[in-house]
Amino acid sequence: RTLSSVLDGSMVSHPVMPGTEEAIFALFLQQCYFLRQAGHSEKAISLYQALIDFTLFKPDSVKNMSTKDQVEFFEPFRDSGEPRFGEKGAKGWSSWMHHKERGGWVAVQNLVEEEEEEE
């Protein structure tokens, strides 16, 4: 999170140097490569999924926040058990956040089962 703080300006003691974003991405790739080589392929894939969701499917309501604040909104999505990028039924962070703001997902199958139990 420290390098992202430099990028978003919340760490004022360090100016953004040219190539900072590329260096952050290179570190990310090295971490994923290391995890895969160490036998943690699922963790590496999960990190790629998180990066894609965080970067490409970010809700408009958090785009102007600091990276730290965006991560705080992103963590509940990651912990929700919703399908992630590349998985069947994945809708992305933005869609999940939109539905949460409107009251959450409606599980149609569960509603039908409850109606059958009442009869």
Side-chain angles (χ1 to χ4, degrees), residues 64-77:
N64 294 325
M65 295 179 180
S66 69
T67 304
K68 180 183 176 189
D69 290 339
Q70 290 178 14
V71 169
E72 288 180 18
F73 276 92
F74 185 65
E75 286 175 345
F77 165 68

Side-chain angles (χ1 to χ4, degrees), residues 4 7-10 54 58-74 93 97 101:
S4 64
L7 279 178
D8 69 20
S10 59
F54 188 82
K58 188 176 295 182
D60 292 334
S61 59
V62 302
K63 285 185 178 177
N64 294 325
M65 295 179 180
S66 69
T67 304
K68 180 183 176 189
D69 290 339
Q70 290 178 14
V71 169
E72 288 180 18
F73 276 92
F74 185 65
W93 178 27
M97 186 90 151
E101 290 169 350

Side-chain angles (χ1 to χ4, degrees), residues 13 23 32-33 35-36 38 47 58 60 69 77 86 95 101 104:
S13 62
C32 290
Y33 181 75
L35 287 169
R36 188 177 66 95
L47 288 174
K58 188 176 295 182
D60 292 334
D69 290 339
F77 165 68
S95 179
E101 290 169 350

Side-chain angles (χ1 to χ4, degrees), residues 43-57:
K43 179 69 173 174
I45 291 169
S46 177
L47 288 174
Y48 279 112
Q49 288 173 317
L51 178 68
I52 291 168
D53 259 323
F54 188 82
T55 305
L56 301 178
F57 298 102

